[in-house]
Amino acid sequence: MWQETDKQLHRKFQFDDFSAAFAFMTRVALAAEKMDHHPLWTNVYNKVEIWLSTHDAGNTVTEKDHELAKQIDSIFSAKA
């Protein structure tokens, strides 16, 4: 679940292996690029952490962040 703290949405994801985590990140990157709204994220082996905030709105959470979070959740749910 996404948590809103320090003016950011944050969520951790875990996958079976690095390849699955990287595939997820690739799909998220395509969605983010379409929205022109890019996450702060980290990846270590099978774990991905994502933080969302809107920089041009003063680094706070906006509707753009909630929309991207929904798309990310959909991508994560579609993994097989």
Side-chain angles (χ1 to χ4, degrees):
M1 284 295 174
W2 291 93
Q3 301 292 322
E4 187 170 341
T5 55
D6 298 325
K7 298 182 181 181
Q8 294 180 317
L9 291 179
H10 174 257
R11 184 166 176 191
K12 296 178 183 180
F13 299 88
Q14 186 166 333
F15 301 87
D16 291 336
D17 54 29
F18 176 76
S19 189
F22 194 85
F24 168 77
M25 291 178 70
T26 301
R27 291 190 292 275
V28 170
L30 293 171
E33 187 66 15
K34 283 183 184 177
M35 289 183 65
D36 192 28
H37 192 57
H38 306 96
L40 169 64
W41 56 12
T42 62
N43 165 241
V44 177
Y45 183 58
N46 68 334
K47 294 178 178 68
V48 176
E49 282 191 69
I50 300 176
W51 295 265
L52 301 173
S53 66
T54 303
H55 305 293
D56 56 358
N59 293 315
T60 192
V61 176
T62 68
E63 185 55 37
K64 283 180 89 170
D65 302 298
H66 288 286
E67 177 58 34
L68 183 53
K70 286 180 195 174
Q71 289 187 38
I72 292 168
D73 286 344
S74 179
I75 292 165
F76 182 69
S77 294
K79 72 178 177 44

